[in-house]
Amino acid sequence: MEKELIRFENISKSFDSTDVLKDLTLSIHENEFVTLLGPSGCGKTTTLRILGGFEMPDSGRVFFDGMDITSLPPNKRQLNTVFQKYALFTHMNVAENIAFGLKIKGQDKSMIREKIAYSLKLVGLEGYEKRSPSSLSGGQQQRIAIARAIVNEPKVLLLDEPLGALDLKLRQDMQYELIRLKEELGITFVYVTHDQEEALTMSDTVVVMNQGRIQQIGSPEDIYNEPQNAFVADFIGESNLLDGIMVRDCLVNIGGLDFPCVDTGFGTDNPVDVVIRPEDVELSSSGEGQTKGRVISIVFKGVHWEMHVESDIGITFLVKTTDHFPVGSTVGISVDPYNIQIMHKPVSEDAQVYGQDESSEGEGYEP
Amino acid sequence: MKSRGILGKIYIFLVMLFLYSPIAVLVVLSFNNSRSRVVWGGFTTKWYRVLIESKSIMEALGTTFILAILSALFASILGLFGAIGIYSMRRRNYRIMLFCTNIPLLNADIVTGIALLLWFVRFLPLGFSSVLLAHITFNIPYVILCILPKLKEMDVHQYEAALDLGAGEAYAFVHILIPHILPGVLSGFLMAVTMSMDDFVITYFTRGAGVNTLSTLIYGELRKGIKPEMYALSTILFFVVLILLILVNLPYERMFSKRTIKKKVNIEK
């Protein structure tokens, strides 16, 4: 793991007596692509704004490269932001927008011109210097906003839902574009989004947040395959979220039927949450499997079929498969032990997130 | 359908007639070469000459303009900061402050006039400065109301983006915020000039002896009997205010048409 660059230490923040962030602690490393992911109102944008210097935390401190920057104004920080709606200066042309930060630093004109040309080339908009921002499409404005930020050579680039206003195709293109940019620049990206697909595609590390607390920190694979709690499992992708009882290590009882699994350390006869991804439920037409079920609906989704299967153990599974089974047909249902993810049941809402914070740290994210 | 169209036209014609015929008569009379109000004595500009030669009228004219410009200037500066302050308030305080701003607008002029008079007689001698203060006071709300919509239109993140790119608060204020709200400040300024020139009641109460604006002068003269040069003066006043009002409304319309053109361009892409 690279050197730590940013550290949030016990950050709390509330607006009008609503707690937005509760005791948030987070480390971000050099050259890392970190995504803060969560539903609206989870505190992800506030976290980014605290890092950018636009909000002061009520308590806690922010460190940048070992220095306390909690009360440093935004213009003194070595980071730049790409704002949600781009926030381009509408009364200036593209070149003036990009030159804004360089002019303040007092760089000389030929140098500024070179840097403008270079940054426009980086975002694929060479020759757009004289254009007015309002004459550009959303995707182009987005690129100008990125060029305006990176031309200042920040150590960290903050991106606040930068693709939110773009259409699907453009959004997917921009995801690859951002990955390429990050590799070319070799700087840290802190990215905020509510779109789990974006988070999984681009990030080195995903920070899942809800109600002002971190739910889980991990690589995209970890977050998807090993959700720490029901919220993460439910928010990232689709899932069958089931009640179960951990009979003993590596055996869980769901709806009266024992399923072998690979998780240990949940005690014996303890109630647990169980996650099975829809693509991990295996169906067979022969009716053989751990249990049987009846197909009650089927929808064509392009790459796969999406079905609801009512099983004999009283649970309706959401299933994604490339095989087609007609509605009403009887199928066998089985799940590979590796694909059953066991999670602690929350004791209360606060205890849930708090306990999970500790366990996610305990599992060795901290370097 | 057709008859309704004709009725509509007649209705509009009547409204216009009642609204503007008195002013039209005034304008016509100012060029009438006769002291009578009912006999047309031929076209003349002599009342305008009398007007220009009258020392008291010229003095009042000067006072009116200086008063209008100065009060609008101070009101624009104070209103600018006021508007920014109000805009950045959170919802509840925002509404309270906006309400407070609107009270002087809706308040009867005579109440404002007497209230200000009460304060001024206690703290400073009545004269030009007291009238100026009074005009600044009632002009500020107009300026605030002209600037607030411009602030709402602006993307606040532009200001934050400037800070983010290394600008200090003063630099961001001058280079980002001001260019955006300048049209609002200008129309607020022109509005304030208009309101200041237009005011009679508050000026009448807060002026000391010897200070006369055009409106208080006309009122004073009217008590002695109407002189034709007053028609000329009123005509001038009417057209100045008219031109100012057109100027106030012009920038908005221009910007609106510009913006629609831009939108069209975007759609075509």
Side-chain angles (χ1 to χ4, degrees):
Chain A
M1 189 62 85
E2 303 236 11
K3 174 171 155 263
E4 179 186 86
L5 187 61
I6 296 161
R7 192 167 77 251
F8 292 94
E9 231 175 57
N10 308 103
I11 300 285
S12 294
K13 174 81 184 169
S14 57
F15 292 112
D16 296 339
S17 73
T18 311
D19 292 336
V20 180
L21 292 176
K22 299 168 195 160
D23 199 30
L24 177 127
T25 296
L26 174 67
S27 291
I28 295 169
H29 302 85
E30 260 178 7
N31 206 7
E32 195 179 12
F33 197 130
V34 177
T35 300
L36 307 179
L37 174 68
S40 57
C42 73
K44 55 190 193 298
T45 296
T46 306
T47 309
L48 196 77
R49 288 175 60 79
I50 286 173
L51 183 54
F54 304 113
E55 304 283 357
M56 278 276 279
D58 297 337
S59 65
R61 292 191 294 170
V62 186
F63 292 92
F64 185 90
D65 220 355
M67 208 177 74
D68 187 344
I69 58 160
T70 316
S71 52
L72 203 67
N75 49 333
K76 300 270 191 292
R77 300 189 181 200
Q78 288 175 297
L79 33 83
N80 286 112
T81 310
V82 176
F83 289 85
Q84 193 164 8
K85 285 178 189 131
Y86 325 138
L88 294 174
F89 305 133
T90 41
H91 59 294
M92 300 179 183
N93 68 24
V94 167
E96 287 165 338
N97 262 280
I98 298 175
F100 190 85
L102 301 172
K103 270 188 197 152
I104 290 168
K105 288 196 193 107
Q107 302 198 346
D108 68 71
K109 273 191 184 140
S110 61
M111 176 93 113
I112 289 177
R113 213 173 307 127
E114 253 170 56
K115 281 190 175 173
I116 292 171
Y118 173 72
S119 67
L120 279 175
K121 195 173 166 220
L122 262 183
V123 297
L125 289 176
E126 289 148 289
Y128 275 65
E129 278 92 342
K130 297 276 173 255
R131 296 281 290 269
S132 146
S134 52
S135 74
L136 304 178
S137 70
Q140 289 170 332
Q141 289 188 32
Q142 176 64 75
R143 285 158 197 260
I144 300 300
I146 293 170
R148 184 179 68 175
I150 60 179
V151 78
N152 300 288
E153 293 158 16
K155 283 194 175 169
V156 182
L157 189 64
L158 312 183
L159 301 110
D160 186 5
E161 307 217 12
L163 309 184
L166 305 180
D167 61 51
L168 181 68
K169 188 80 184 69
L170 206 53
R171 212 153 61 213
Q172 286 168 343
D173 291 347
M174 279 305 284
Q175 288 177 15
Y176 291 106
E177 197 90 333
L178 284 172
I179 297 170
R180 178 186 64 80
L181 260 178
K182 191 194 156 278
E183 270 155 20
E184 224 156 297
L185 296 166
I187 58 172
T188 306
F189 275 35
V190 182
Y191 192 95
V192 161
T193 185
H194 62 266
D195 184 316
Q196 42 116 352
E197 191 214 313
E198 268 174 43
L200 297 179
T201 308
M202 295 189 287
S203 320
D204 299 318
T205 305
V206 180
V207 179
V208 185
M209 296 179 68
N210 189 35
Q211 295 177 349
R213 290 186 193 276
I214 293 175
Q215 304 288 320
Q216 186 171 358
I217 303 173
S219 68
E221 293 86 353
D222 283 349
I223 298 279
Y224 189 82
N225 293 327
E226 312 275 331
Q228 293 285 335
N229 60 31
F231 173 81
V232 177
D234 197 39
F235 191 74
I236 312 288
E238 285 176 292
S239 55
N240 293 291
L241 203 53
L242 312 168
D243 288 322
I245 291 164
M246 201 68 187
V247 180
R248 54 172 194 269
D249 281 355
C250 299
L251 193 67
V252 63
N253 184 297
I254 306 166
L257 193 70
D258 285 346
F259 285 85
C261 60
V262 294
D263 293 271
T264 57
F266 288 86
T268 51
D269 293 330
N270 267 339
V272 287
D273 279 329
V274 181
V275 169
I276 301 170
R277 295 291 181 188
E279 62 272 24
D280 292 335
V281 180
E282 290 159 32
L283 303 181
S284 63
S285 53
S286 57
E288 284 166 20
Q290 285 158 301
T291 179
K292 276 198 290 252
R294 202 169 53 87
V295 178
I296 53 175
S297 74
I298 181 160
V299 176
F300 182 58
K301 289 283 188 182
V303 181
H304 61 266
W305 299 89
E306 193 176 289
M307 298 178 230
H308 284 94
V309 179
E310 196 177 10
S311 68
D312 290 351
I313 53 174
I315 293 159
T316 303
F317 285 99
L318 177 69
V319 185
K320 288 180 185 173
T321 167
T322 49
D323 300 326
H324 176 263
F325 297 92
V327 172
S329 62
T330 303
V331 289
I333 301 168
S334 51
V335 186
D336 189 289
Y338 282 97
N339 290 331
I340 297 179
Q341 168 73 7
I342 309 290
M343 304 170 305
H344 285 287
K345 268 214 179 293
V347 182
S348 71
E349 205 155 292
D350 253 18
Q352 169 193 341
V353 286
Y354 204 69
Q356 289 309 326
D357 272 356
E358 282 169 352
S359 75
S360 65
E361 277 168 18
E363 283 186 17
Y365 172 73
E366 290 289 316
Chain B
M1 277 303 272
K2 207 178 174 190
S3 69
R4 200 196 287 167
I6 289 166
L7 279 178
K9 274 176 192 154
I10 292 171
Y11 176 70
I12 292 288
F13 174 77
L14 284 176
V15 169
M16 290 298 180
L17 186 73
F18 282 114
L19 274 178
Y20 293 110
S21 59
I23 297 172
V25 168
L26 179 85
V27 173
V28 169
L29 284 179
S30 76
F31 294 105
N32 186 6
N33 195 5
S34 150
R35 282 192 174 269
S36 160
R37 260 163 276 166
V38 283
V39 181
W40 178 249
F43 181 85
T44 179
T45 53
K46 78 170 171 197
W47 307 123
Y48 288 87
R49 222 176 312 123
V50 173
L51 201 64
I52 290 163
E53 280 158 10
S54 156
K55 208 183 146 211
S56 65
I57 289 175
M58 282 298 113
E59 236 178 61
L61 187 73
T63 311
T64 305
F65 276 116
I66 293 168
L67 190 62
I69 301 289
L70 276 184
S71 69
L73 200 66
F74 282 116
S76 297
I77 295 165
L78 290 171
L80 172 65
F81 291 115
I84 293 169
I86 291 172
Y87 176 71
S88 54
M89 282 174 182
R90 289 202 167 264
R91 211 170 292 150
R92 210 175 77 96
N93 290 345
Y94 178 89
R95 253 191 259 130
I96 293 170
M97 278 316 293
L98 206 57
F99 184 71
C100 291
T101 307
N102 284 337
I103 291 174
L105 282 182
L106 303 171
N107 197 10
D109 276 1
I110 194 144
V111 177
T112 310
I114 294 172
L116 286 171
L117 173 70
L118 280 174
W119 275 83
F120 290 155
V121 289
R122 174 71 184 80
F123 293 111
L124 80 169
L126 294 182
F128 182 78
S129 54
S130 63
V131 182
L132 179 62
L133 279 178
H135 280 224
I136 293 170
T137 309
F138 73 70
N139 272 338
I140 288 174
Y142 291 102
V143 176
I144 290 178
L145 288 184
C146 283
I147 295 176
L148 270 182
K150 287 278 148 223
L151 282 169
K152 274 187 201 158
E153 251 173 48
M154 186 189 161
D155 177 10
V156 242
H157 292 313
Q158 285 194 29
Y159 179 75
E160 287 184 345
L163 296 184
D164 186 77
L165 293 167
E169 286 180 9
Y171 189 92
F173 179 78
V174 173
H175 287 86
I176 304 300
L177 198 64
I178 292 290
H180 274 99
I181 59 176
L182 200 60
V185 180
L186 283 181
S187 60
F189 175 82
L190 291 177
M191 190 77 150
V193 169
T194 316
M195 288 301 151
S196 169
M197 289 181 58
D198 206 32
D199 178 70
F200 166 71
V201 178
I202 295 170
T203 313
Y204 188 75
F205 277 96
T206 53
R207 81 198 171 104
V211 178
N212 255 329
T213 65
L214 286 179
S215 56
T216 57
L217 181 84
I218 293 170
Y219 179 74
E221 295 288 319
L222 283 181
R223 283 194 303 189
K224 298 177 214 157
I226 305 175
K227 289 189 209 148
E229 57 258 40
M230 288 302 123
Y231 302 143
L233 185 56
S234 304
T235 304
I236 293 174
L237 209 53
F238 170 74
F239 280 108
V240 170
V241 171
L242 186 70
I243 289 165
L244 279 177
L245 273 178
I246 291 170
L247 282 180
V248 168
N249 289 312
L250 208 59
Y252 279 111
E253 251 162 46
R254 250 197 226 145
M255 268 189 300
F256 182 70
S257 58
K258 219 188 208 173
R259 207 172 302 135
T260 43
I261 290 165
K262 273 180 195 163
K263 259 185 201 153
K264 267 184 206 153
V265 172
N266 275 345
I267 290 163
E268 275 161 20
K269 283 192 178 163

